[in-house]
Amino acid sequence: MKQLAILGSTGSIGVSTLQIVEAFPEKFQITALTAGGNIDLLLDQIRRFHPKMVAVVAEQDADRLSSILGSDGPEILHGVDGLVCCAKHPQVSTVVAAIVGAAGLVPTMAAIEAGKDVALANKETLVTAGSLVMDAVDRYQVKLLPVDSEHSAIFQSLEGHQTQDIRRLILTASGGPFRDWPLARMGSMTPADALAHPNWDMGRKISIDSATMMNKGLEVIEARWLFDLPVDRIAVHVHPESIVHSMVEYQDGAVLAQLGIPDMQTPIAYALSWPDRLPLNLKPLDLCETGTLNFSEPDLQKFPCLALAYQASEAGGSAPAVMNAANEVAVEAFLSGQLAFLKIPQLIEKVLENHRSEKLTTIDQVLCADLQGRDSARELINGGLA
Ligand code: NAD
Ligand code: MG
């Protein structure tokens, strides 16, 4: 029986993870849950899964939960310290890192330092602090299992193979809802247009990241750290059907891929049960019904965020953390109607232009770079870039 902590249980990945836990009660038990919002859903999850510890971001949400659940309920904490306590709970063996954004970094790092295996959905943890996180994974001898579907596909295509035999990784990208829109039309996109992803049902931030293709940029950096390869050996192919989840090309020309219907249950379940596979009740992939699979080069004119992510990764040091922070601010500003869609990459590019990359050797330095990126992006928005 695996004891789990789910960080971000009320989000898209958190809810899908709980569906798997519910389907396999003999394999998984929930010890801790955390959420940033959606307290009614959290309350429902507490009643269904009986965690021992719960953490929320705001103190008033913690007070509300305590008064509803009373003394029979779980221990209820709040703030970053509360999230960290859940991540380090002594009975937990695996932490599912499913918070969105750089807010996931500190609790995920705490889980690693407490010796927990991590099922990682929160790609921003590796984007902002990849080298520190991978060092800690080594030092504390924990397993970092990818939940992101592309990275799960690469992880599966690497099993039984040697890293020195890899020529390159090929990440697939759906291309998002604007793949086929002309650039001229993209200027007038609304949040509702951008949130309507063709293949995946996801949280708001990652949906916008998919529409700008920053999501793929973040995933290139995530892959760089997970699989220890320079970004010039990580390619992106646009693949609108989202059936081939990613590929590994070996030196002898062999290309190994993992295929499946686009459903996050598969990569989540594999990260939870590796090396075993769980008998999931999903619609089987029918390639005859699919008929044709398409692949093309990404259009970097239309999706400059992807190029910015390669540049930030090559600059190294604090640049990816600053880029990520600027992107988080830009996405929020777009969602609240303060920033036009095509200004998202412009804002990130300006923030990166104004930043001189520095080496990061502590998590505090990463958090500082994150704050700098946010401040710089907000200043530009207030100064009229919008
Ligand atoms: P979401 O917005 O649906 O859920 C995020 C969760 O984090 C929620 O429980 C929310 O309450 C919590 N949260 C938000 N801000 C917080 C904060 N400041 N402190 C603590 N908790 C906070 O997001 P999601 O789509 O589930 O994505 C989660 C992560 O997984 C992201 O990093 C995303 O890139 C990655 N991911 C998601 C998918 C997907 O299909 N949704 C696929 C691959 C990777
Ligand atoms: Mg992905």
Side-chain angles (χ1 to χ4, degrees):
M1 176 76 84
K2 240 182 217 174
Q3 305 276 340
L4 306 179
I6 304 182
L7 311 178
S9 68
T10 56
S12 158
I13 295 289
V15 167
S16 297
T17 306
L18 286 172
Q19 280 169 7
I20 294 169
V21 170
E22 201 154 43
F24 298 94
E26 70 293 355
K27 290 196 185 293
F28 307 111
Q29 204 168 22
I30 295 297
T31 304
L33 294 176
T34 84
N38 209 341
I39 302 305
D40 291 334
L41 176 58
L42 179 63
L43 194 56
D44 173 58
Q45 293 176 344
I46 294 169
R47 289 182 170 135
R48 276 164 47 218
F49 295 96
H50 310 289
K52 295 194 164 71
M53 189 181 270
V54 167
V56 291
V57 172
E59 187 170 3
Q60 64 266 31
D61 287 335
D63 292 344
R64 193 183 141 215
L65 283 173
S66 299
S67 71
I68 296 173
L69 292 163
S71 54
D72 292 342
E75 185 176 355
I76 295 173
L77 308 168
H78 68 270
V80 176
D81 291 348
L83 303 176
V84 165
C85 280
C86 286
K88 292 179 14 183
H89 192 290
Q91 284 168 17
V92 165
S93 63
T94 299
V95 171
V96 180
I99 291 175
V100 61
L105 172 61
V106 167
T108 305
M109 195 67 173
I112 295 169
E113 289 175 351
K116 314 297 186 192
D117 291 335
V118 173
L120 184 76
N122 179 240
K123 61 193 79 178
E124 294 89 347
T125 286
L126 284 177
V127 171
T128 55
S131 122
L132 300 176
V133 171
M134 296 316 289
D135 282 354
V137 164
D138 243 22
R139 192 167 345 118
Y140 294 93
Q141 295 283 298
V142 300
K143 289 194 268 303
L144 186 61
L145 295 150
V147 167
D148 218 342
S149 57
E150 295 77 1
H151 305 73
S152 177
I154 290 169
F155 177 68
Q156 294 177 56
S157 305
L158 280 172
E159 278 176 311
H161 295 82
Q162 309 183 93
T163 359
Q164 76 248 34
D165 290 334
I166 302 172
R167 186 182 287 154
R168 60 177 185 152
L169 307 178
I170 302 167
L171 295 180
T172 53
S174 69
F178 305 144
R179 187 188 62 239
D180 297 327
W181 288 35
L183 185 58
R185 211 180 136 202
M186 280 168 65
S188 57
M189 273 159 208
T190 64
D193 295 327
L195 286 170
H197 195 280
N199 304 348
W200 301 95
D201 181 15
M202 309 179 288
R204 285 160 68 83
K205 192 253 177 186
I206 186 178
S207 296
I208 303 305
D209 285 348
S210 298
T212 60
M213 286 194 80
M214 178 54 95
N215 182 49
K216 213 47 55 180
L218 300 178
E219 290 184 354
V220 166
I221 304 176
E222 180 185 15
R224 181 254 171 279
W225 293 113
L226 272 175
F227 307 113
D228 193 22
L229 279 181
V231 289
D232 62 8
R233 287 169 62 198
I234 306 174
V236 172
H237 286 7
V238 174
H239 167 46
E241 294 83 7
S242 298
I243 298 286
V244 176
H245 294 311
S246 280
M247 305 173 243
V248 180
E249 182 183 312
Y250 289 96
Q251 348 186 28
D252 58 0
V255 177
L256 267 60
Q258 181 256 330
L259 283 69
I261 61 160
D263 191 312
M264 286 307 292
Q265 297 254 349
T266 305
I268 296 171
Y270 197 57
L272 293 180
S273 65
W274 175 86
D276 299 339
R277 286 185 185 269
L278 296 174
L280 298 181
N281 191 18
L282 298 178
K283 180 174 176 275
L285 170 63
D286 183 346
L287 283 174
C288 296
E289 185 190 87
T290 311
T292 311
L293 297 178
N294 292 279
F295 298 91
S296 60
E297 291 283 341
D299 180 344
L300 297 180
Q301 299 291 319
K302 264 170 65 179
F303 301 105
C305 283
L306 181 54
L308 289 171
Y310 274 98
Q311 284 161 25
S313 182
E314 264 152 18
S318 50
V322 166
M323 177 199 74
N324 177 71
N327 181 55
E328 289 190 28
V329 171
V331 169
E332 272 169 37
F334 170 66
L335 284 171
S336 64
Q338 278 177 281
L339 191 71
F341 185 79
L342 291 177
K343 298 272 177 167
I344 297 175
Q346 290 178 22
L347 178 68
I348 299 165
E349 188 174 14
K350 282 226 161 59
V351 169
L352 280 172
E353 262 169 29
N354 297 343
H355 177 72
R356 236 192 23 195
S357 174
E358 282 166 28
K359 195 168 184 303
L360 300 175
T361 53
T362 65
I363 292 295
D364 279 345
Q365 289 172 347
V366 178
L367 299 178
C368 245
D370 175 78
L371 270 183
Q372 273 178 29
R374 280 170 208 273
D375 287 348
S376 166
R378 285 196 193 105
E379 257 172 48
L380 285 162
I381 293 175
N382 295 337
L385 184 110

